[in-house]
Structure formats: C-alpha cells, structure tokens
Amino acid sequence: MDKKSELNGHAVAPPGASEQPQEKRSVGQKLLEFVERNLLVILTVSGVLVGVGLGMMVRPMNLTKAQMSYFAFPGEMLLRMLKMIILPLVVCSLVSGAASLDTRSLGKLGGIAVSYFLVTTLIASGIGVTLALIIKPGVGAAALNTNSLGLETVSSDKETADSFLDLASVFLLFVLQYATGYKRVPAGNDTNGTILYQKVPVGTETDGMNILGLVLFAMVFGVALRKLGEEGEELIRFFNAFNEATMVLVSWIMWYIPFGIVFLVGSKIVEMEDVVLLVTSLGKYIFASILGHVIHGGIVLPLIYFGFTRKNPFSFLSGLITPFTTAFATCSSSATLPSMIKCVEENNGVDKRISRFILPIGATVNMDGAAIFQCIAAVFIAQLNNAELNAGQIFTILVTATASSVGAAGIPAGGIITIAIILEAIGLPTNDLSLMLAVDWIVDRTTTVVNVEGDALGAGILHHINQQELKKQQKHEADGELTEVQVEALANVQAEEETSPLVTHQTKALEAMPEAIESVL
C-alpha cells in the first residue's frame, strides 16, 4: 500500500517535478528500442568492419594453405548453413505461394514479375555497354595478358547453341545441374587412311543445385495441388507448416551471420595476392563495373519503384540492410534469399504470398548486376584484343547478356561462366576470362547487392499492385452493395408515393414553399 501511495503521489505531482525524469527515461527507452530493433543490422555491419581489420592483421603472418582453411572455416560454415536451407525454403515457399493464389492471380503476378525482370535486366545491359564504350577500360591495355599477372588460363570451347540449350535444359531437370560436354567419335577415314574424328555433344551432370529447375517444378506442383481441391488441402497445409518451420531455422541462422561474416571477409583479405598490381592493371574495368552498379542500384531501380508506388524507395531499402550486407559478404544471391524473405516480410510488410512467390524466382532469374558486369567484360575483352564492335555485335551483347543472366548460377563467380556465352556469340576468344576471374571477388560483391536489390524492389512493386487491386475490388463490392440499397430504397419510395396521396401532397407543398423546407431541415 505504501508503494502504491508513493506511485500515486508521483502520478499527481506537479508537472515541473515529473517532466524531466520522464523525458530522460523516454530518450533512453527510445535508444534501447532502436538498438533492440536494429541489433542484427548493427552486428552484421560491424562484422564486415571487424573482418576487414582482422584480415589486415593476419595478412602479414603469411599463413599456409592449411592455416588459411582453418581461419576461413567459420565463414565456410555460414555458407554451408545458408545453402542447406535453400532447398526446403525455395520448394516449400513456392509450393505454398502458388497453391495460395488462384490461377488468374498467379498468371497476372507472374506476367508482371517476368516483365519487370526482363526490362530491368535489359536496362542494366544497356548501362553496362554504354559505360564500357565511354570509359573504354580495355583501350591501352593490349599488353596486359594472363601471364603478366601470373594467372591461369581459362578457356571454353563450347558452341554457342549448346550453351543456350543448357539454359533451356535446366528448366526440365529437378535437382541436378546440366552442362554439355563433348567427346570425339571416329567418323571414318580419309584418303590417306587417317582416322577422322567428329565432336559430338554429350549431356553431363555437374556439381551444384539446379535452382531454376526447382523453381519451375515447385510452381507447377503448387498449381497442381490447388487443382486437386479438398484432396490437396492437407498437403498444402503440410508445405505451409514446413515453410514456417524453415523460416524459424532462418531466424536462428541469421544470428550466426555476423560471426561468420567476420571470417568470411577476413579470409578473403588474407587470400588476396598482389592487390595493387591487379587494381592498377584492371582499375578502369573495376571502376566501370562498380559505377554501373551504383547507377542502376542507386538511381534506375529506385526510380522504377517510385514510378509504380509513389513511395520513397530508400525508406523501403533501409529495412534491408542485413540481406544487403549478407549479399556483400557471401557474393551469393541464393545464400541471401533466406534473410531477404524474412526482412522483406517483417520490416517492409510485404505479403507473404507475394514475397515467397517472387523472391525465389528473382534470386534465380533476375541478375541485373551480373548483366552489367558481363557486358562491360565483353566490351573490355574486345578492346583488349583490338576488335572493333559493330552495331550488330553490340545488339548481340545486349540480347545475349539478358538471356544468359537468367541461367547464371546464384553462387560466387557464377557470372564468369556466362561471359563465355557472350564472347562466343560475338566471335571473341575466351582465353582472357582469367582476367575477369582475378578481380571477380571485388566486382561480384556489388553485383550481388544489385541483384538482390532488384528482387526486393520487384516484390515491393508487386505488393503495391496487389494492394491497389484489392482496394479496387473492395470499392467495387461496396459500390455494388450501395447500388442495391439505393435501388431498394427507390422502389420503397415509389411504392409509398403510389399508395399514399398524403405523402405526394406534402411533397408538392414543400416544393412550393422553400421556407417550409428550411424549417423542416
């Protein structure tokens, strides 16, 4: 009772005596709430900075290969955990997302998403080619070659047609990656008796998960479950529960991200060879690539988002610092997918049906950042070999980069493989790909950030369009109900007028006397 009376006494004390303590307490509470709300973001960004400092400290120790692998092990564990969660996350989220949407909505959202992805990727390719032609990173670097930097030669002898067939084949496979190999088959003898050999394409399975095939299968399977009706409801509920359990695992893994990022970034700094030589030799290429990413991610994509939603895009992006930091550290769109889905839903309020349907597709199909650096790399290698590009070749670069980025693996250095397709399409040698690989660990970080930014803004645009459609539908239903009520009221009035001469007489009398109307009102 004494404590209560004291509390009551404080409550009724004069304002001057109580305002100051309350103000101090509110500021502290606000600061505490801010730290609690953004603790993961603060830890993740701090992890990158600590990783850079730790790498610079360990670098002079000249670690052996074995010691480097031990040092990088916590970061490798982070990558393995994120890759572990990709398969159940993609399959369950797409199955539940496709099953929760009717076929008409699914087709409409899918059409808008694919159009958004294609247009933004084509714009990114145009930015890449334009910057490469303006900055000219390969002009004056003709003396630069693989041997001068001590790099291994990377080449590809795959036919262009086979490369595009590989992209088409991944849609039809479930889990395994597919790639075309070649074998030499005897095709007879010439006039001198020498055996002639013919190169025959042979399908082979390669390491890695076929995310694109999983996406297509999960979407079709979700639509099939919805078509089953009541028979498929239990399985849909199973995938929904599985999806929620997967997101719980994601929330646990996200708390390991700051610790893993420290060693992931630190190990990359320790493994760097002669950074000064690489930057001075390929500095214009690095600058052109990063500038393209800044223009596309900082200007073009936010303008597209603002054009559709009329909302501040940077307030939307401010809730995605954790996935952006994860993308910067891991260089993997697929590894960033779990944290992206969680932050888009919790921080930006995007509908789960939208985010879990669009983001897995975007992580596989939408590669804006990759398209930019692939186009710059293609023009760079052309300038390196003193090859003049005509209008037809430039158009080929744009179309091929847009198409090949769809099948680019969402893994570190995944875009290097697709550059070979562009070079083959315009008839340039692929021997200089090792130059791209040497600095890919720098460029790939901003590439991945732009890739996942495009996915997130696409989900925000689709959420806005979906909300507008719902409002229109609700307004239409409300107008329909109002019309029905008005029709019923009008019918009742007409009936009363027909059956009651008194009402008709009073109405005419009121129309003739405005003063009476005012008094009645």
Side-chain angles (χ1 to χ4, degrees), residues 87 165-180 203-215 217 407 409:
L87 177 62
L165 286 176
D166 287 349
L167 294 180
S169 298
V170 296
F171 282 100
L172 304 177
L173 296 175
F174 178 38
V175 176
L176 300 174
Q177 283 278 18
Y178 179 89
T180 299
T204 57
E205 295 174 355
T206 60
D207 294 334
M209 192 186 305
N210 178 18
I211 300 293
L212 205 56
L214 286 172
V215 165
F217 171 81

PDB file of all heavy atoms in Angstrom, residues 87 165-180 203-215 217 407 409:
ATOM      1  N   LEU A  87      17.235 -25.304 -50.377  1.00  0.00           N
ATOM      2  CA  LEU A  87      16.350 -26.302 -51.000  1.00  0.00           C
ATOM      3  C   LEU A  87      14.967 -26.341 -50.342  1.00  0.00           C
ATOM      4  O   LEU A  87      13.959 -26.160 -51.045  1.00  0.00           O
ATOM      5  CB  LEU A  87      17.012 -27.683 -50.964  1.00  0.00           C
ATOM      6  CG  LEU A  87      16.187 -28.845 -51.516  1.00  0.00           C
ATOM      7  CD1 LEU A  87      15.878 -28.625 -52.988  1.00  0.00           C
ATOM      8  CD2 LEU A  87      16.916 -30.167 -51.323  1.00  0.00           C
ATOM      9  N   LEU A 165      21.183 -24.222 -75.163  1.00  0.00           N
ATOM     10  CA  LEU A 165      20.443 -25.448 -74.889  1.00  0.00           C
ATOM     11  C   LEU A 165      20.606 -25.864 -73.430  1.00  0.00           C
ATOM     12  O   LEU A 165      19.671 -26.406 -72.825  1.00  0.00           O
ATOM     13  CB  LEU A 165      20.910 -26.574 -75.824  1.00  0.00           C
ATOM     14  CG  LEU A 165      20.451 -26.460 -77.280  1.00  0.00           C
ATOM     15  CD1 LEU A 165      21.072 -27.575 -78.116  1.00  0.00           C
ATOM     16  CD2 LEU A 165      18.929 -26.511 -77.380  1.00  0.00           C
ATOM     17  N   ASP A 166      21.793 -25.603 -72.859  1.00  0.00           N
ATOM     18  CA  ASP A 166      21.987 -25.894 -71.437  1.00  0.00           C
ATOM     19  C   ASP A 166      21.049 -25.059 -70.582  1.00  0.00           C
ATOM     20  O   ASP A 166      20.489 -25.539 -69.597  1.00  0.00           O
ATOM     21  CB  ASP A 166      23.442 -25.609 -71.042  1.00  0.00           C
ATOM     22  CG  ASP A 166      24.400 -26.650 -71.594  1.00  0.00           C
ATOM     23  OD1 ASP A 166      23.915 -27.692 -72.086  1.00  0.00           O
ATOM     24  OD2 ASP A 166      25.621 -26.417 -71.545  1.00  0.00           O
ATOM     25  N   LEU A 167      20.882 -23.770 -70.962  1.00  0.00           N
ATOM     26  CA  LEU A 167      19.969 -22.905 -70.208  1.00  0.00           C
ATOM     27  C   LEU A 167      18.541 -23.414 -70.290  1.00  0.00           C
ATOM     28  O   LEU A 167      17.779 -23.351 -69.331  1.00  0.00           O
ATOM     29  CB  LEU A 167      20.042 -21.472 -70.745  1.00  0.00           C
ATOM     30  CG  LEU A 167      21.364 -20.732 -70.545  1.00  0.00           C
ATOM     31  CD1 LEU A 167      21.271 -19.333 -71.128  1.00  0.00           C
ATOM     32  CD2 LEU A 167      21.725 -20.660 -69.077  1.00  0.00           C
ATOM     33  N   ALA A 168      18.155 -23.918 -71.481  1.00  0.00           N
ATOM     34  CA  ALA A 168      16.800 -24.445 -71.635  1.00  0.00           C
ATOM     35  C   ALA A 168      16.627 -25.762 -70.888  1.00  0.00           C
ATOM     36  O   ALA A 168      15.556 -26.046 -70.348  1.00  0.00           O
ATOM     37  CB  ALA A 168      16.489 -24.644 -73.119  1.00  0.00           C
ATOM     38  N   SER A 169      17.698 -26.562 -70.818  1.00  0.00           N
ATOM     39  CA  SER A 169      17.589 -27.879 -70.192  1.00  0.00           C
ATOM     40  C   SER A 169      17.390 -27.799 -68.691  1.00  0.00           C
ATOM     41  O   SER A 169      16.758 -28.674 -68.097  1.00  0.00           O
ATOM     42  CB  SER A 169      18.848 -28.706 -70.496  1.00  0.00           C
ATOM     43  OG  SER A 169      18.975 -28.914 -71.890  1.00  0.00           O
ATOM     44  N   VAL A 170      17.929 -26.745 -68.054  1.00  0.00           N
ATOM     45  CA  VAL A 170      17.807 -26.682 -66.599  1.00  0.00           C
ATOM     46  C   VAL A 170      16.367 -26.513 -66.155  1.00  0.00           C
ATOM     47  O   VAL A 170      16.028 -26.811 -65.010  1.00  0.00           O
ATOM     48  CB  VAL A 170      18.669 -25.527 -66.025  1.00  0.00           C
ATOM     49  CG1 VAL A 170      20.127 -25.761 -66.263  1.00  0.00           C
ATOM     50  CG2 VAL A 170      18.243 -24.180 -66.586  1.00  0.00           C
ATOM     51  N   PHE A 171      15.493 -26.027 -67.060  1.00  0.00           N
ATOM     52  CA  PHE A 171      14.079 -25.900 -66.687  1.00  0.00           C
ATOM     53  C   PHE A 171      13.436 -27.272 -66.498  1.00  0.00           C
ATOM     54  O   PHE A 171      12.477 -27.403 -65.761  1.00  0.00           O
ATOM     55  CB  PHE A 171      13.319 -25.141 -67.783  1.00  0.00           C
ATOM     56  CG  PHE A 171      13.538 -23.662 -67.750  1.00  0.00           C
ATOM     57  CD1 PHE A 171      14.437 -23.068 -68.611  1.00  0.00           C
ATOM     58  CD2 PHE A 171      12.857 -22.859 -66.860  1.00  0.00           C
ATOM     59  CE1 PHE A 171      14.647 -21.700 -68.588  1.00  0.00           C
ATOM     60  CE2 PHE A 171      13.050 -21.488 -66.819  1.00  0.00           C
ATOM     61  CZ  PHE A 171      13.947 -20.918 -67.684  1.00  0.00           C
ATOM     62  N   LEU A 172      13.978 -28.287 -67.192  1.00  0.00           N
ATOM     63  CA  LEU A 172      13.330 -29.588 -67.205  1.00  0.00           C
ATOM     64  C   LEU A 172      13.936 -30.554 -66.205  1.00  0.00           C
ATOM     65  O   LEU A 172      13.423 -31.647 -66.016  1.00  0.00           O
ATOM     66  CB  LEU A 172      13.420 -30.194 -68.621  1.00  0.00           C
ATOM     67  CG  LEU A 172      12.834 -29.305 -69.734  1.00  0.00           C
ATOM     68  CD1 LEU A 172      13.052 -29.959 -71.079  1.00  0.00           C
ATOM     69  CD2 LEU A 172      11.359 -29.044 -69.496  1.00  0.00           C
ATOM     70  N   LEU A 173      15.045 -30.169 -65.565  1.00  0.00           N
ATOM     71  CA  LEU A 173      15.671 -31.032 -64.582  1.00  0.00           C
ATOM     72  C   LEU A 173      15.244 -30.597 -63.191  1.00  0.00           C
ATOM     73  O   LEU A 173      14.939 -29.439 -62.953  1.00  0.00           O
ATOM     74  CB  LEU A 173      17.196 -30.977 -64.726  1.00  0.00           C
ATOM     75  CG  LEU A 173      17.730 -31.519 -66.066  1.00  0.00           C
ATOM     76  CD1 LEU A 173      19.216 -31.299 -66.150  1.00  0.00           C
ATOM     77  CD2 LEU A 173      17.419 -32.999 -66.214  1.00  0.00           C
ATOM     78  N   PHE A 174      15.270 -31.516 -62.267  1.00  0.00           N
ATOM     79  CA  PHE A 174      14.749 -31.215 -60.935  1.00  0.00           C
ATOM     80  C   PHE A 174      15.843 -30.661 -60.026  1.00  0.00           C
ATOM     81  O   PHE A 174      15.836 -29.518 -59.642  1.00  0.00           O
ATOM     82  CB  PHE A 174      14.119 -32.476 -60.349  1.00  0.00           C
ATOM     83  CG  PHE A 174      13.586 -32.296 -58.956  1.00  0.00           C
ATOM     84  CD1 PHE A 174      12.961 -31.117 -58.596  1.00  0.00           C
ATOM     85  CD2 PHE A 174      13.720 -33.285 -58.017  1.00  0.00           C
ATOM     86  CE1 PHE A 174      12.465 -30.941 -57.317  1.00  0.00           C
ATOM     87  CE2 PHE A 174      13.231 -33.118 -56.736  1.00  0.00           C
ATOM     88  CZ  PHE A 174      12.609 -31.942 -56.393  1.00  0.00           C
ATOM     89  N   VAL A 175      16.838 -31.446 -59.670  1.00  0.00           N
ATOM     90  CA  VAL A 175      17.826 -31.036 -58.687  1.00  0.00           C
ATOM     91  C   VAL A 175      19.200 -30.808 -59.314  1.00  0.00           C
ATOM     92  O   VAL A 175      19.912 -29.885 -58.952  1.00  0.00           O
ATOM     93  CB  VAL A 175      17.935 -32.088 -57.557  1.00  0.00           C
ATOM     94  CG1 VAL A 175      19.030 -31.719 -56.580  1.00  0.00           C
ATOM     95  CG2 VAL A 175      16.610 -32.215 -56.820  1.00  0.00           C
ATOM     96  N   LEU A 176      19.572 -31.614 -60.289  1.00  0.00           N
ATOM     97  CA  LEU A 176      20.940 -31.623 -60.785  1.00  0.00           C
ATOM     98  C   LEU A 176      21.177 -30.550 -61.835  1.00  0.00           C
ATOM     99  O   LEU A 176      20.300 -30.229 -62.630  1.00  0.00           O
ATOM    100  CB  LEU A 176      21.272 -33.005 -61.379  1.00  0.00           C
ATOM    101  CG  LEU A 176      21.163 -34.187 -60.395  1.00  0.00           C
ATOM    102  CD1 LEU A 176      21.371 -35.492 -61.130  1.00  0.00           C
ATOM    103  CD2 LEU A 176      22.178 -34.042 -59.275  1.00  0.00           C
ATOM    104  N   GLN A 177      22.395 -29.995 -61.834  1.00  0.00           N
ATOM    105  CA  GLN A 177      22.803 -29.065 -62.870  1.00  0.00           C
ATOM    106  C   GLN A 177      23.142 -29.850 -64.134  1.00  0.00           C
ATOM    107  O   GLN A 177      23.564 -30.999 -64.088  1.00  0.00           O
ATOM    108  CB  GLN A 177      24.039 -28.268 -62.431  1.00  0.00           C
ATOM    109  CG  GLN A 177      23.721 -27.147 -61.452  1.00  0.00           C
ATOM    110  CD  GLN A 177      23.221 -25.908 -62.168  1.00  0.00           C
ATOM    111  OE1 GLN A 177      22.799 -25.975 -63.311  1.00  0.00           O
ATOM    112  NE2 GLN A 177      23.250 -24.789 -61.477  1.00  0.00           N
ATOM    113  N   TYR A 178      22.961 -29.196 -65.282  1.00  0.00           N
ATOM    114  CA  TYR A 178      23.188 -29.851 -66.568  1.00  0.00           C
ATOM    115  C   TYR A 178      24.160 -29.011 -67.378  1.00  0.00           C
ATOM    116  O   TYR A 178      24.079 -27.777 -67.380  1.00  0.00           O
ATOM    117  CB  TYR A 178      21.860 -29.992 -67.323  1.00  0.00           C
ATOM    118  CG  TYR A 178      21.979 -30.632 -68.691  1.00  0.00           C
ATOM    119  CD1 TYR A 178      21.886 -31.998 -68.846  1.00  0.00           C
ATOM    120  CD2 TYR A 178      22.182 -29.848 -69.837  1.00  0.00           C
ATOM    121  CE1 TYR A 178      21.988 -32.587 -70.095  1.00  0.00           C
ATOM    122  CE2 TYR A 178      22.291 -30.426 -71.082  1.00  0.00           C
ATOM    123  CZ  TYR A 178      22.187 -31.798 -71.211  1.00  0.00           C
ATOM    124  OH  TYR A 178      22.290 -32.373 -72.443  1.00  0.00           O
ATOM    125  N   ALA A 179      25.100 -29.678 -68.046  1.00  0.00           N
ATOM    126  CA  ALA A 179      26.045 -28.971 -68.914  1.00  0.00           C
ATOM    127  C   ALA A 179      26.409 -29.884 -70.069  1.00  0.00           C
ATOM    128  O   ALA A 179      26.451 -31.112 -69.929  1.00  0.00           O
ATOM    129  CB  ALA A 179      27.297 -28.568 -68.153  1.00  0.00           C
ATOM    130  N   THR A 180      26.663 -29.271 -71.204  1.00  0.00           N
ATOM    131  CA  THR A 180      27.031 -30.025 -72.390  1.00  0.00           C
ATOM    132  C   THR A 180      28.537 -30.254 -72.416  1.00  0.00           C
ATOM    133  O   THR A 180      29.317 -29.301 -72.279  1.00  0.00           O
ATOM    134  CB  THR A 180      26.614 -29.284 -73.667  1.00  0.00           C
ATOM    135  OG1 THR A 180      25.190 -29.128 -73.658  1.00  0.00           O
ATOM    136  CG2 THR A 180      27.025 -30.059 -74.908  1.00  0.00           C
ATOM    137  N   GLY A 203      25.419 -34.824 -72.971  1.00  0.00           N
ATOM    138  CA  GLY A 203      24.908 -34.213 -71.746  1.00  0.00           C
ATOM    139  C   GLY A 203      25.588 -34.785 -70.516  1.00  0.00           C
ATOM    140  O   GLY A 203      25.738 -36.003 -70.390  1.00  0.00           O
ATOM    141  N   THR A 204      26.006 -33.904 -69.614  1.00  0.00           N
ATOM    142  CA  THR A 204      26.662 -34.326 -68.386  1.00  0.00           C
ATOM    143  C   THR A 204      26.025 -33.613 -67.199  1.00  0.00           C
ATOM    144  O   THR A 204      25.442 -32.543 -67.345  1.00  0.00           O
ATOM    145  CB  THR A 204      28.165 -34.001 -68.409  1.00  0.00           C
ATOM    146  OG1 THR A 204      28.339 -32.598 -68.620  1.00  0.00           O
ATOM    147  CG2 THR A 204      28.865 -34.771 -69.519  1.00  0.00           C
ATOM    148  N   GLU A 205      26.142 -34.230 -66.037  1.00  0.00           N
ATOM    149  CA  GLU A 205      25.654 -33.630 -64.796  1.00  0.00           C
ATOM    150  C   GLU A 205      26.827 -33.019 -64.051  1.00  0.00           C
ATOM    151  O   GLU A 205      27.870 -33.647 -63.893  1.00  0.00           O
ATOM    152  CB  GLU A 205      24.966 -34.685 -63.928  1.00  0.00           C
ATOM    153  CG  GLU A 205      23.698 -35.246 -64.561  1.00  0.00           C
ATOM    154  CD  GLU A 205      23.121 -36.396 -63.763  1.00  0.00           C
ATOM    155  OE1 GLU A 205      23.776 -36.794 -62.778  1.00  0.00           O
ATOM    156  OE2 GLU A 205      22.041 -36.891 -64.120  1.00  0.00           O
ATOM    157  N   THR A 206      26.665 -31.772 -63.621  1.00  0.00           N
ATOM    158  CA  THR A 206      27.738 -31.058 -62.941  1.00  0.00           C
ATOM    159  C   THR A 206      27.366 -30.814 -61.483  1.00  0.00           C
ATOM    160  O   THR A 206      26.214 -30.978 -61.084  1.00  0.00           O
ATOM    161  CB  THR A 206      28.010 -29.702 -63.628  1.00  0.00           C
ATOM    162  OG1 THR A 206      26.814 -28.915 -63.585  1.00  0.00           O
ATOM    163  CG2 THR A 206      28.419 -29.910 -65.075  1.00  0.00           C
ATOM    164  N   ASP A 207      28.368 -30.426 -60.704  1.00  0.00           N
ATOM    165  CA  ASP A 207      28.141 -30.145 -59.287  1.00  0.00           C
ATOM    166  C   ASP A 207      27.296 -28.884 -59.138  1.00  0.00           C
ATOM    167  O   ASP A 207      27.373 -27.955 -59.935  1.00  0.00           O
ATOM    168  CB  ASP A 207      29.472 -29.963 -58.566  1.00  0.00           C
ATOM    169  CG  ASP A 207      30.288 -31.248 -58.538  1.00  0.00           C
ATOM    170  OD1 ASP A 207      29.664 -32.322 -58.601  1.00  0.00           O
ATOM    171  OD2 ASP A 207      31.532 -31.173 -58.468  1.00  0.00           O
ATOM    172  N   GLY A 208      26.526 -28.861 -58.080  1.00  0.00           N
ATOM    173  CA  GLY A 208      25.710 -27.680 -57.813  1.00  0.00           C
ATOM    174  C   GLY A 208      24.227 -27.991 -57.888  1.00  0.00           C
ATOM    175  O   GLY A 208      23.798 -28.960 -58.527  1.00  0.00           O
ATOM    176  N   MET A 209      23.442 -27.150 -57.244  1.00  0.00           N
ATOM    177  CA  MET A 209      21.996 -27.332 -57.202  1.00  0.00           C
ATOM    178  C   MET A 209      21.331 -26.570 -58.336  1.00  0.00           C
ATOM    179  O   MET A 209      21.673 -25.428 -58.618  1.00  0.00           O
ATOM    180  CB  MET A 209      21.459 -26.826 -55.858  1.00  0.00           C
ATOM    181  CG  MET A 209      20.025 -27.220 -55.564  1.00  0.00           C
ATOM    182  SD  MET A 209      19.450 -26.430 -54.037  1.00  0.00           S
ATOM    183  CE  MET A 209      20.693 -26.958 -52.880  1.00  0.00           C
ATOM    184  N   ASN A 210      20.404 -27.210 -59.010  1.00  0.00           N
ATOM    185  CA  ASN A 210      19.693 -26.582 -60.123  1.00  0.00           C
ATOM    186  C   ASN A 210      18.480 -25.823 -59.581  1.00  0.00           C
ATOM    187  O   ASN A 210      17.364 -26.337 -59.521  1.00  0.00           O
ATOM    188  CB  ASN A 210      19.266 -27.659 -61.127  1.00  0.00           C
ATOM    189  CG  ASN A 210      18.486 -27.073 -62.287  1.00  0.00           C
ATOM    190  OD1 ASN A 210      18.538 -25.870 -62.528  1.00  0.00           O
ATOM    191  ND2 ASN A 210      17.756 -27.911 -62.987  1.00  0.00           N
ATOM    192  N   ILE A 211      18.718 -24.577 -59.162  1.00  0.00           N
ATOM    193  CA  ILE A 211      17.651 -23.779 -58.550  1.00  0.00           C
ATOM    194  C   ILE A 211      16.542 -23.491 -59.558  1.00  0.00           C
ATOM    195  O   ILE A 211      15.356 -23.485 -59.222  1.00  0.00           O
ATOM    196  CB  ILE A 211      18.226 -22.460 -57.995  1.00  0.00           C
ATOM    197  CG1 ILE A 211      19.295 -22.741 -56.951  1.00  0.00           C
ATOM    198  CG2 ILE A 211      17.119 -21.613 -57.384  1.00  0.00           C
ATOM    199  CD1 ILE A 211      18.776 -23.370 -55.698  1.00  0.00           C
ATOM    200  N   LEU A 212      16.908 -23.239 -60.810  1.00  0.00           N
ATOM    201  CA  LEU A 212      15.912 -22.897 -61.819  1.00  0.00           C
ATOM    202  C   LEU A 212      14.934 -24.045 -62.040  1.00  0.00           C
ATOM    203  O   LEU A 212      13.721 -23.843 -62.157  1.00  0.00           O
ATOM    204  CB  LEU A 212      16.609 -22.529 -63.132  1.00  0.00           C
ATOM    205  CG  LEU A 212      15.859 -21.608 -64.087  1.00  0.00           C
ATOM    206  CD1 LEU A 212      15.470 -20.318 -63.402  1.00  0.00           C
ATOM    207  CD2 LEU A 212      16.711 -21.321 -65.310  1.00  0.00           C
ATOM    208  N   GLY A 213      15.448 -25.274 -62.087  1.00  0.00           N
ATOM    209  CA  GLY A 213      14.572 -26.434 -62.223  1.00  0.00           C
ATOM    210  C   GLY A 213      13.668 -26.614 -61.016  1.00  0.00           C
ATOM    211  O   GLY A 213      12.489 -26.963 -61.141  1.00  0.00           O
ATOM    212  N   LEU A 214      14.218 -26.359 -59.816  1.00  0.00           N
ATOM    213  CA  LEU A 214      13.415 -26.456 -58.601  1.00  0.00           C
ATOM    214  C   LEU A 214      12.286 -25.428 -58.598  1.00  0.00           C
ATOM    215  O   LEU A 214      11.163 -25.724 -58.178  1.00  0.00           O
ATOM    216  CB  LEU A 214      14.304 -26.239 -57.373  1.00  0.00           C
ATOM    217  CG  LEU A 214      15.244 -27.376 -56.987  1.00  0.00           C
ATOM    218  CD1 LEU A 214      16.183 -26.915 -55.886  1.00  0.00           C
ATOM    219  CD2 LEU A 214      14.471 -28.589 -56.542  1.00  0.00           C
ATOM    220  N   VAL A 215      12.589 -24.213 -59.051  1.00  0.00           N
ATOM    221  CA  VAL A 215      11.581 -23.155 -59.088  1.00  0.00           C
ATOM    222  C   VAL A 215      10.418 -23.556 -59.985  1.00  0.00           C
ATOM    223  O   VAL A 215       9.238 -23.438 -59.609  1.00  0.00           O
ATOM    224  CB  VAL A 215      12.218 -21.833 -59.565  1.00  0.00           C
ATOM    225  CG1 VAL A 215      11.147 -20.826 -59.953  1.00  0.00           C
ATOM    226  CG2 VAL A 215      13.112 -21.250 -58.480  1.00  0.00           C
ATOM    227  N   PHE A 217       9.535 -26.583 -61.036  1.00  0.00           N
ATOM    228  CA  PHE A 217       8.824 -27.744 -60.503  1.00  0.00           C
ATOM    229  C   PHE A 217       7.901 -27.339 -59.355  1.00  0.00           C
ATOM    230  O   PHE A 217       6.745 -27.767 -59.284  1.00  0.00           O
ATOM    231  CB  PHE A 217       9.826 -28.801 -60.033  1.00  0.00           C
ATOM    232  CG  PHE A 217       9.193 -29.937 -59.273  1.00  0.00           C
ATOM    233  CD1 PHE A 217       8.580 -30.980 -59.956  1.00  0.00           C
ATOM    234  CD2 PHE A 217       9.197 -29.958 -57.891  1.00  0.00           C
ATOM    235  CE1 PHE A 217       7.984 -32.023 -59.261  1.00  0.00           C
ATOM    236  CE2 PHE A 217       8.599 -30.987 -57.190  1.00  0.00           C
ATOM    237  CZ  PHE A 217       8.003 -32.023 -57.882  1.00  0.00           C
ATOM    238  N   GLY A 407      20.069 -17.767 -66.599  1.00  0.00           N
ATOM    239  CA  GLY A 407      20.582 -19.061 -66.153  1.00  0.00           C
ATOM    240  C   GLY A 407      21.847 -18.974 -65.341  1.00  0.00           C
ATOM    241  O   GLY A 407      22.439 -19.999 -65.025  1.00  0.00           O
ATOM    242  N   ALA A 409      24.244 -18.948 -62.375  1.00  0.00           N
ATOM    243  CA  ALA A 409      24.122 -19.554 -61.053  1.00  0.00           C
ATOM    244  C   ALA A 409      24.232 -18.481 -59.983  1.00  0.00           C
ATOM    245  O   ALA A 409      25.066 -17.591 -60.063  1.00  0.00           O
ATOM    246  CB  ALA A 409      25.220 -20.600 -60.862  1.00  0.00           C
TER     247      ALA A 409
END
